[in-house]
C-alpha cells in the first residue's frame, strides 16, 4: 500500500507576515487601499473625544475594513465577524490583529451606517467605488 505524507489540519504555530496576506489585485487589497488612502474619515474621527482621557478606541478605518470584508464574504452576524477577526488569517491581517468584541462591531454598524452610506455616496461621484466593485 502506498505511503503518503501526513496532512496536518489542526492548530500550528506559524510565523505570519500580515502584510503578505493581502495580495495585490485582490478585493482585500483594494479595500485596504480605498479605506486607508482614498476615503475621508474625518466625520468618524469627530465622534471620538478620548484625546486626554478614557480608553483607546478602535480606529474607524479598521472597523470599516472588517465589516466590509465580512459582508463581502456573506458574514453578517457581529458574533461571526468577531470570530473571523480571531481565527481567520485574512481578517487578522486586514484588521492589523485587532479583535473587536461583537458588541463593538454591532454598535459601529448600528450607529455609523449613515456615515458610511454618505461616505460611499460621496466617493461614488469621484469614481472610487466603481473601481472597487470592478475588482
Amino acid at each position: 500500500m502506498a505511503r503518503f505524507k501526513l496532512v496536518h489540519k489542526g492548530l500550528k504555530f506559524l510565523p505570519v507576515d500580515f502584510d503578505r496576506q493581502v495580495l495585490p489585485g485582490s478585493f482585500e487589497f483594494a479595500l485596504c487601499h480605498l479605506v486607508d488612502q482614498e476615503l475621508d474619515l474625518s466625520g468618524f474621527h469627530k465622534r471620538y473625544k478620548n484625546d486626554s482621557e478614557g480608553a483607546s478606541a478602535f480606529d474607524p478605518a479598521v472597523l470599516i475594513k472588517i465589516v466590509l470584508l465580512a459582508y463581502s464574504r456573506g458574514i453578517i452576524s457581529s458574533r461571526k465577524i468577531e470570530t473571523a477577526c480571531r481565527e481567520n488569517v485574512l481578517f487578522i491581517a486586514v484588521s492589523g490583529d485587532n479583535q473587536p468584541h461583537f458588541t463593538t462591531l454591532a454598535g459601529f454598524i448600528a450607529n455609523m451606517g449613515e456615515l458610511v452610506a454618505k461616505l460611499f455616496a460621496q466617493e461614488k461621484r469621484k469614481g472610487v467605488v466603481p473601481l472597487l466593485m470592478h475588482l
Side-chain angles (χ1 to χ4, degrees), residues 10-78:
L11 291 175
K12 210 168 203 186
F13 290 107
L14 298 172
V16 177
D17 182 353
F18 293 140
D19 287 334
R20 291 183 178 207
Q21 303 309 306
V22 180
L23 301 174
S26 67
F27 173 80
E28 300 80 29
F29 185 85
L31 175 64
C32 290
H33 175 77
L34 176 68
V35 174
D36 293 337
Q37 306 295 324
E38 302 292 334
L39 297 181
D40 176 16
L41 301 178
S42 59
F44 291 92
H45 295 161
K46 289 177 187 175
R47 294 176 162 245
Y48 294 92
K49 310 222 181 324
N50 60 346
D51 292 345
S52 59
E53 60 186 32
S56 59
F58 288 103
D59 186 343
V62 169
L63 296 174
I64 290 170
K65 288 189 279 187
I66 290 170
V67 171
L68 291 178
L69 178 59
Y71 285 3
S72 77
R73 300 281 195 268
I75 305 170
I76 57 172
S77 161
S78 56

